[in-house]
Structure formats: structure tokens, C-alpha cells
Amino acid sequence: MQWRISLIGIILALASTGVFAECECLWKGSFSEVHPETDLVISGTVTNLKGNSIDVSVERSLRNDEPNPEVRVWLKTGSYCRPEPELFPVGSQWVMALHEITEEVPGGFDPTTPNISYGRIGDYQLSSCGGYWLSQSGNVVTGNLINAPRWVHDPKMTPVLVDVVAQHVTGAIGDESLLQASKEDPALRELMLDTRAFLRGDAPIEPEETQLQRSSESEP
């Protein structure tokens, strides 16, 4: 009987620390719905994984400038409604809609485990209660972008150009255009964008091989 009482005490103690606690939150929508409520939207590459945090090299700020070349993003631990750190291996690319950590949370930091915590003020957190992240490969992304099923973070979809997502983030295009882009071949979409740029009179970007050829021809 004594061992049963001790076992119950251990279980209750673990539950109070969040070891067995589960995240409870409402689904807030696809990326198109949640990104306007966040503090920072970036495209970047994971450079480090430590505890329940990752460091992300900011390669492009889609909304709001981040002065630092790298940001720390805090992920799942205990009952925090965030994705597991293992989903973001070093070297992987992502578009993320992030909330800035602006205040300390009681019990959010343990000096004995500094790499496992709620996160530091000035860092960012990534929520799992919506499509807050998109997997990036080169110049295209996939994920719960728009009108996708709830709680499915990696639905089957046609890749979408990062430039198109950036246009939605800035408000240059609406939901209908983003939805249409998610049904088109990204190569065709890129060709359409290049054609519009040409019609506006923008200077075309020549392939690197052409630029090198022109340079060699101009040399004496």
C-alpha cells in the first residue's frame, strides 16, 4: 500500500511540472489567417538546436524588420502549445509567423535547465495552434497555407512561391489570389510574375551565365 501512495505522489509531482500535461488550445486558422496577428514573419534557415529552442538565420523579413541576423525561437516543452523542436532540424528552411516574448512567465525558467524554458524576453515563440510555419525549399513553400484542414500542418498541396506569400503578408494580394496561386504550377506563376514585371518596364534579371558572357565579351 505504501508503494502505491508513493507512486501516486510521484505521478502528481510530474503532472504539476508539466511532464504529462497536454497542450490545450483552439485552432486559429491557416497561415493566411494567423500571420496578421503575429509580431514578425520571416524566411530563414535553422542554424542551431539547443533544448527546446532553435536559432534561425533571417534571410528575409516578410513583415517587420528584424535588426538581428539571427533570432531565437522557443518551441515545445511541458504544456506549451508549440511544435516539437525535432521538427526543425539544423539546415532546414522555413517561413515562420512568430510572436515576440515580451514578459516573464511564472515557472517559465529553471536555472538548472537553462536550455529548457518558456523563453527569454526579446526572443520569439512559435505556436502550434495554427499554420504558423511553412516548409521552404528554395523559392517555394508548402504547409497549412490557406483553407487547409485543421491540425494538419503538412497537407498535400502545390508548392507556392515565397514571393507570392510575401505579397499576401504585406497586403499586396488577398486570399483569393493566394488560394489561386496554391492551385497553380509555381514555375508558371513565376513566369507570370516575370511577364508582369516586363510589361511594367522593370529591368529583366539576366541569368548568371549571360552576365558572365557579356563581361568576357567586353574585355579587351
Side-chain angles (χ1 to χ4, degrees), residues 15-32:
S16 67
T17 60
V19 173
F20 294 148
E22 292 294 333
C23 156
E24 294 184 4
C25 67
L26 297 176
W27 180 257
K28 295 186 177 179
S30 298
F31 181 86
S32 60

Side-chain angles (χ1 to χ4, degrees), residues 135-156:
S135 177
Q136 181 174 341
S137 178
N139 65 342
V140 297
V141 296
T142 56
N144 197 309
L145 177 63
I146 183 169
N147 287 6
R150 295 187 176 197
W151 302 108
V152 180
H153 289 99
D154 189 23
K156 290 184 178 180

Side-chain angles (χ1 to χ4, degrees), residues 130-201:
Y132 287 90
W133 68 91
L134 303 170
S135 177
Q136 181 174 341
S137 178
N139 65 342
V140 297
V141 296
T142 56
N144 197 309
L145 177 63
I146 183 169
N147 287 6
R150 295 187 176 197
W151 302 108
V152 180
H153 289 99
D154 189 23
K156 290 184 178 180
M157 62 165 286
T158 301
V160 174
L161 292 169
V162 177
D163 285 344
V164 174
V165 176
Q167 287 181 321
H168 189 273
V169 171
T170 59
I173 64 173
D175 288 354
E176 189 61 35
S177 296
L178 184 64
L179 184 61
Q180 183 62 35
S182 70
K183 299 176 181 179
E184 294 175 348
D185 184 309
L188 176 61
R189 182 71 180 183
E190 190 166 26
L191 177 61
M192 291 172 61
L193 292 174
D194 289 344
T195 301
R196 290 175 185 173
F198 173 77
L199 293 175
R200 289 197 306 266

Side-chain angles (χ1 to χ4, degrees), residues 93-109:
Q93 290 181 292
W94 305 89
V95 168
M96 295 180 172
L98 304 167
H99 288 101
E100 186 176 4
I101 298 175
T102 58
E103 58 183 19
E104 294 182 0
V105 173
F109 179 76

Side-chain angles (χ1 to χ4, degrees), residues 27-70:
W27 180 257
K28 295 186 177 179
S30 298
F31 181 86
S32 60
E33 299 173 89
V34 300
H35 76 70
E37 305 301 323
T38 58
D39 299 303
L40 180 69
V41 182
I42 61 168
S43 166
T45 301
V46 178
T47 60
N48 188 36
L49 169 62
K50 203 168 188 179
N52 68 309
S53 71
I54 55 174
D55 292 328
V56 181
S57 173
V58 180
E59 291 155 7
R60 181 176 179 181
S61 289
L62 278 63
R63 191 185 69 241
N64 292 348
D65 289 332
E66 168 54 48
N68 298 312
E70 194 170 80

